[in-house]
Amino acid sequence: MIKDITIGQYYAGDSVLHRMDARMKLVLTLGYMVVIFLCKNFFALGLLALSVAVFVALSRVPLGMVLRSFRPIVVLVLFTSALNLFLTPGEGEPLWHWWKLQITTEGIHTAIFTTARILCLIAASSLLTYTTTPSLLTAGIERLLWPLGKLGVPVSVFAMMMTLALRFVPTLVEEIDRIMNAQKSRGANMDTGSLFQRIKAFVPVLVPLIVSAFRRAGELAYAMECRCYTGSNRRTSLKQFRLRARDYAAAALMLLLGGGIVTMNIFLGKII
Amino acid sequence: MNAIECKNVLYRYPNTRKTSPPALRGVSLDVRQGEVLAMIGHTGSGKSTLAQHLNGLLKPVGGTVCVGGKDIWATKSAMREARFRVGLCFQYPEYQLFEETIAKDIAFGPKNMGLDPAEIDRRVRAAARYVGLTEEMLPRSPFDLSGGEKRRAAIAGVMAMEPEVLALDEPTAGLDPRGKERILQMILRYRAETRKPILLISHNMEDVARFADRVLVLNQGEAAMLGTVPEVFSRAEELTAMGLNVPSVTRIFLELRRRGLPVSAGIYSVEQGVAELLRLRALRKEGIHD
């Protein structure tokens, strides 16, 4: 059950998206989020959908995995689109109404656009994590935040904390598994009973888990100090980022996409 | 009736590729009444996976696991019973301690069995005695103990369920020689008093030679050998091929044999080695006098 979480998961591969500079991917993902909200008519939305399809194809991440990243937000999407569908006031006659609920053309449009936008957002950000290893991602974030370092923010320390946190997720998942098995072997019952009973049944797992997390943290701190880690901002990095032709090409494509969508908005009318 | 009987246990971890070999490929074993059965094997040979089948933590894809003559997957209650009939103690069990006091932690298993307080108290004291924890230690926090003491407290937590079979996964891993010796002495004491079978997972061949009656050798998910200690250790070459270290003294005698000395290949303890060398010297002397 714990192993089903897809957020922050990496899918090993060697596609163009995998090979792109992590900094550029981060910036372009942010840029893409802006583009998503620039879409004002169905033609632009179509172009957007096409772009997502192209990204998925380029990443060579199986479609099933991308779809799986939608799973945690299904409820959210259904909820917001239902709100939009039934509660958006329109100018003309409502198509259908009952009590305070009504369906208007505007409502249908808003519901479609909101759903499409959320799905595109999730698809883009999960592609980012699918194609970038957590360590590259944090290194990329660290490089992008260098202006904050000038202001005295210990950027590299925060980046190190993030890297370590990500590094220990699988370790802790394994540890939970081990402790659960050990307690089950002593007859702990974690699969049945009321919600309250199940929460109580987790104490024998949580206490050892927290104890061992602290123990690991202490050991890790010693190990890092033994290797002279001080957290200074002047550390150099083994992995040097360099922008290559494909990164500039990707940036150009993103600009083109944004430009195209804005042009469509101007010439084909806005419906939202 | 054997305490545990496994027939052709087949297991494949979920989420592994269909083409990769299963973790257990039809393992059969029996744990007889009153014996110490050692399970040895290289890392990844399936020792821990097999151990988790014995108390119903894992469900075999094929084959059967019988505890006390009953198939543990026949009914749901049989599976739950198996948890208590086979006391499985994992590697590094000290990381499972969680209660405020040692006594409470040892009582966790018996409490889950639904025993009455007087019986729980009796079992806690008995288990603490097996592992050499004193009465004064029982009300203390388990987190104040030393590494070796924590380990013994955790093992006591399994012993307190008074299982029909005690299964210990690498009980001495990561301890210093003295801590190791204490654990082994504790196992001997437990065995002498209860006469119940023990399954000992280990990769220390000296310990296996010292304690075990029979040995099960696992190799790549298969039961490669199952026999008495002399039977198994006499096949030292095969063991070495499986990446297992035979006792150092056995290795020395194999090498002597390879270099042409007429010594036995079935030497697995220092005492036996000394006797064998003395026998050889006597033979030589006879030869000179003739």
Side-chain angles (χ1 to χ4, degrees):
Chain A
M1 66 183 177
I2 304 160
K3 284 167 187 152
D4 289 340
I5 300 167
T6 59
I7 305 159
Q9 227 179 49
Y10 176 66
Y11 177 81
D14 191 36
S15 72
V16 187
L17 289 195
H18 282 86
R19 274 176 282 151
M20 261 176 71
D21 190 313
R23 294 173 303 171
M24 189 54 97
K25 275 192 270 190
L26 275 162
V27 171
L28 291 187
T29 308
L30 286 176
Y32 191 63
M33 289 178 181
V34 176
V35 171
I36 286 170
F37 284 96
L38 284 177
C39 286
K40 300 286 186 198
N41 61 41
F42 281 112
F43 299 102
L45 203 63
L47 186 59
L48 194 71
L50 184 71
S51 70
V52 171
V54 169
F55 294 152
V56 173
L58 280 177
S59 72
R60 302 226 194 106
V61 174
L63 190 63
M65 278 190 82
V66 181
L67 293 180
R68 219 166 65 191
S69 60
F70 292 151
R71 214 189 283 159
I73 54 136
V74 167
V75 177
L76 178 78
V77 170
L78 286 179
F79 185 65
T80 47
S81 52
L83 283 186
N84 280 321
L85 188 61
F86 292 116
L87 296 175
T88 311
E91 280 165 13
E93 254 317 277
L95 301 170
W96 173 90
H97 77 104
W98 173 77
W99 190 49
K100 283 190 177 164
L101 304 177
Q102 53 177 352
I103 295 182
T104 61
T105 324
E106 285 87 347
I108 295 172
H109 287 161
T110 326
I112 292 174
F113 274 82
T114 320
T115 309
R117 282 168 175 169
I118 298 177
L119 291 184
C120 285
L121 266 176
I122 298 296
S125 46
S126 58
L127 273 185
L128 174 69
T129 53
Y130 276 144
T131 62
T132 321
T133 61
S135 61
L136 272 179
L137 206 58
T138 40
I141 293 172
E142 183 185 355
R143 293 317 139 73
L144 286 175
L145 290 181
W146 68 266
L148 287 178
K150 295 268 179 238
L151 299 172
V153 179
V155 176
S156 67
V157 174
F158 283 121
M160 179 58 82
M161 273 160 50
M162 222 163 107
T163 314
L164 291 180
L166 286 172
R167 156 67 185 79
F168 277 96
V169 168
T171 311
L172 289 182
V173 168
E174 225 171 77
E175 186 99 10
I176 292 174
D177 233 41
R178 262 222 334 251
I179 299 170
M180 271 175 78
N181 273 339
Q183 306 301 29
K184 275 189 198 165
S185 296
R186 292 204 280 162
N189 201 346
M190 276 172 254
D191 308 320
T192 54
S194 68
L195 184 69
F196 181 69
Q197 278 171 323
R198 283 194 205 193
I199 293 171
K200 245 183 86 181
F202 254 85
V203 172
V205 176
L206 281 182
V207 173
L209 184 71
I210 292 168
V211 168
S212 88
F214 273 101
R215 180 178 49 83
R216 275 181 209 283
E219 282 169 5
L220 186 73
Y222 282 134
M224 286 170 77
E225 277 174 10
C226 288
R227 293 171 199 185
C228 302
Y229 177 81
T230 58
S232 94
N233 263 339
R234 277 196 295 275
R235 298 177 73 234
T236 55
S237 167
L238 178 66
K239 205 149 247 160
Q240 292 297 327
F241 285 110
R242 234 180 75 209
L243 291 175
R244 292 168 197 279
R246 56 171 166 265
D247 298 306
Y248 292 113
L253 269 174
M254 191 59 75
L255 279 176
L256 213 63
L257 180 69
I261 280 173
V262 170
T263 318
M264 282 176 159
N265 283 342
I266 296 170
F267 291 103
L268 299 170
K270 295 177 186 175
I271 60 166
I272 199 158
Chain B
M1 185 179 58
N2 288 328
I4 297 180
E5 206 152 327
C6 294
K7 279 215 179 72
N8 299 318
V9 173
L10 181 76
Y11 187 73
R12 182 190 290 281
Y13 276 100
N15 307 324
T16 50
R17 285 207 192 97
K18 287 277 174 286
T19 50
S20 57
L24 292 176
R25 303 190 278 179
V27 177
S28 297
L29 87 132
D30 54 312
V31 180
R32 296 175 189 163
Q33 297 298 345
E35 75 169 346
V36 176
L37 177 69
M39 179 151 55
I40 59 178
H42 201 250
T43 318
S45 60
K47 288 173 294 180
S48 297
T49 309
L50 181 56
Q52 289 178 46
H53 278 84
L54 305 181
N55 73 344
L57 281 177
L58 294 178
K59 186 176 181 176
V61 179
T64 53
V65 179
C66 292
V67 176
K70 257 206 299 197
D71 185 344
I72 65 168
W73 289 103
T75 61
K76 218 183 150 131
S77 63
M79 186 271 279
R80 211 169 146 64
E81 250 179 63
R83 292 276 155 83
F84 303 122
R85 300 177 79 162
V86 179
L88 176 59
C89 185
F90 278 84
Q91 248 180 79
Y92 298 101
E94 56 271 34
Y95 298 142
Q96 70 180 33
L97 298 172
F98 71 99
E99 278 284 13
E100 296 145 50
T101 69
I102 297 165
K104 274 192 193 172
D105 208 286
I106 298 176
F108 182 64
K111 224 155 84 191
N112 285 328
M113 297 170 80
L115 300 170
D116 60 86
E119 175 65 8
I120 292 176
D121 190 60
R122 183 192 69 74
R123 289 187 174 201
V124 169
R125 277 164 213 288
R129 197 168 43 77
Y130 288 137
V131 300
L133 294 176
T134 59
E135 294 267 321
E136 300 84 69
M137 291 167 106
L138 290 180
R140 277 167 50 189
S141 162
F143 297 105
D144 292 339
L145 297 176
S146 75
E149 288 169 337
K150 270 188 204 161
R151 171 89 46 104
R152 284 186 279 136
I155 295 176
V158 177
M159 286 177 172
M161 301 193 302
E162 300 196 345
E164 284 157 38
V165 182
L166 182 66
L168 300 161
D169 192 348
E170 300 268 4
T172 60
L175 290 180
D176 57 277
R178 189 189 292 167
K180 227 169 121 168
E181 194 53 38
R182 288 201 77 160
I183 298 265
L184 294 173
Q185 290 303 331
M186 170 199 102
I187 296 171
L188 282 181
R189 188 158 60 228
Y190 170 86
R191 192 192 176 207
E193 289 189 29
T194 63
R195 309 302 308 166
K196 283 180 186 165
I198 296 174
L199 180 76
L200 182 71
I201 303 176
S202 175
H203 56 227
N204 185 321
M205 298 302 173
E206 273 90 1
D207 293 349
V208 170
R210 227 171 102 193
F211 293 112
D213 300 307
R214 291 193 308 146
V215 185
L216 168 73
V217 184
L218 279 185
N219 187 35
Q220 296 178 351
E222 276 175 328
M225 303 177 203
L226 176 61
T228 62
V229 172
E231 273 167 20
V232 169
F233 280 8
S234 64
R235 294 160 75 180
E237 277 120 352
E238 288 168 68
L239 288 175
T240 316
M242 290 172 199
L244 290 170
N245 275 326
V246 290
S248 318
V249 59
T250 311
R251 256 206 319 273
I252 291 171
F253 273 84
L254 282 176
E255 180 64 21
L256 287 175
R257 218 176 132 82
R258 203 182 61 77
R259 295 195 180 187
L261 273 182
V263 291
S264 154
I267 304 294
Y268 52 88
S269 73
V270 177
E271 291 74 30
Q272 262 185 316
V274 172
E276 179 71 5
L277 286 178
L278 287 175
R279 185 184 68 87
L280 206 68
R281 197 172 67 175
L283 276 178
R284 284 269 163 98
K285 272 188 183 152
E286 275 171 35
I288 293 165
H289 288 300
D290 279 345

